[in-house]
Amino acid sequence: MNRQDCLERLREAAAAEGLAYRGAFAPRPTDSVPDARPGQPTGTLALFGFAGRDGFSRFAQSPEFADGLPHPLDRWSRRVVEALAADAGGKALFPFGGPPYHPFQRWAARAEDVRPSPLGLFIHPVWGLWHSYRGAVALVERIKAPQPLRAAASSCDVCAAKPCLSACPVGAYSEAGFAVDRCAAHLGTPEGRACMEGGCLARRTCPVGAHHAHDPQHAAFTMRAFKAAHPA
Ligand code: B12
């Protein structure tokens, strides 16, 4: 199998499990990417995750989703991405399991046209705020991945209204960052039900890729996980 085929095969195997290929890049020392094998630096890092709605619905059919044990999405991601990495002779890396955390957003910006949004989440020109990362596969081989097309300005730079910054009912988002405790406290109140059941109002108000927003099952799953991790 040639190198390009290796990436294509990874991409197809990931898609079969519901994971979207989120780009690949050749790491530089400043990217803090661990070695793919002991003593062998990573030549290519390929990222995988959710983009839009499809991935979550695949996860919702998995044994991890139904078994009632903690952290179902992380356990599903571990099983799926470790199998992809083993098949490709690479190493699986995950966004969770810290601190310390691997700098997935920094890696994402190397792999695709994603940029910081005022909410802290990175925005994608197609998926808007409705995308995330479930793992990465580090390969020793250096594979020339297609370079991402980069727009001159990010979707947020050309958004004058910035409705995301005024949609949070408790003002948890500001120039100073995301006030986690304020958000979590609100989610525990009756007034927080709209966010708990439908998803973060600030995220939902963004017009970019709005039709890719989480469906109600995904939104409620995400909010419950966030609330459980931050009991107010
Ligand atoms: C800790 C953490 C949190 C914390 C703190 C977040 C924070 N802003 O600091 C809490 C619990 C609050 C949180 C909440 C959420 N998170 Co969070 N979180 C993480 C986690 C696990 C680690 C972040 C970190 O410390 N990285 C370490 C540093 C060294 O890595 P880094 O890539 O350099 O990341 C930093 C830079 O991107 C930097 N940054 C921000 N703006 C800019 C601009 C420039 C120019 C540069 C260079 C860097 C930069 O901010 C990052 C630090 O947070 C990441 C996963 C991961 N491993 O990255 C997810 C992650 C960032 N979270 C994510 C998500 C989706 C959420 C939630 C929406 C989940 C939810 N519904 O509950 C909320 C939204 C919160 C918000 N608006 O910020 C996604 C973001 C995907 C995306 N589209 O960008 C990630 C990548 C997880 C994933 N599996 O995809 N999160």
Side-chain angles (χ1 to χ4, degrees):
M1 190 173 23
N2 72 32
R3 293 174 176 195
Q4 221 67 45
D5 287 349
C6 174
L7 207 52
E8 193 50 39
R9 189 170 145 167
L10 253 178
R11 188 184 179 128
E12 282 170 11
E17 297 290 346
L19 279 180
Y21 167 75
R22 307 295 317 274
F25 64 96
R28 305 176 188 128
T30 48
D31 290 323
S32 309
V33 175
D35 287 352
R37 291 190 210 125
Q40 294 188 275
T42 296
T44 306
L45 188 73
L47 303 187
F48 298 92
F50 289 161
R53 295 179 164 194
D54 292 350
F56 186 86
S57 48
R58 290 299 305 279
F59 156 65
Q61 294 160 17
S62 70
E64 288 86 355
F65 184 79
D67 67 16
L69 298 171
H71 307 299
L73 183 54
D74 292 352
R75 288 185 292 112
W76 175 81
S77 306
R78 207 175 267 288
R79 174 169 64 78
V80 172
V81 178
E82 273 175 356
L84 293 177
D87 193 41
K91 181 186 175 70
L93 302 168
F94 298 97
F96 47 83
Y101 295 104
H102 293 302
F104 261 77
Q105 287 182 308
R106 207 187 316 158
W107 293 351
R110 296 271 276 114
E112 273 192 312
D113 187 9
V114 291
R115 322 272 181 106
S117 75
L119 300 187
L121 302 170
F122 276 26
I123 194 157
H124 183 279
V126 172
W127 308 112
L129 299 173
W130 306 104
H131 65 100
S132 60
Y133 301 90
R134 298 313 321 159
V137 175
L139 300 166
V140 171
E141 298 78 20
R142 182 162 283 219
I143 305 169
K144 201 166 166 19
Q147 282 298 299
L149 294 171
R150 290 189 197 276
S154 97
S155 311
C156 300
D157 292 340
V158 295
C159 173
K162 301 219 182 335
C164 59
L165 284 177
S166 52
C168 175
V170 291
Y173 294 100
S174 70
E175 304 279 323
F178 175 51
V180 186
D181 294 345
R182 198 182 301 176
C183 168
H186 177 68
L187 295 177
T189 66
E191 293 74 29
R193 273 188 58 186
C195 308
M196 276 304 284
E197 290 171 7
C200 169
L201 289 171
R203 201 176 178 187
R204 276 156 62 193
T205 203
C206 174
V208 182
H211 58 293
H212 296 298
H214 295 162
D215 62 31
Q217 184 191 32
H218 190 173
F221 174 91
T222 304
M223 297 308 290
R224 275 200 305 273
F226 178 79
K227 182 78 183 83
H230 301 277

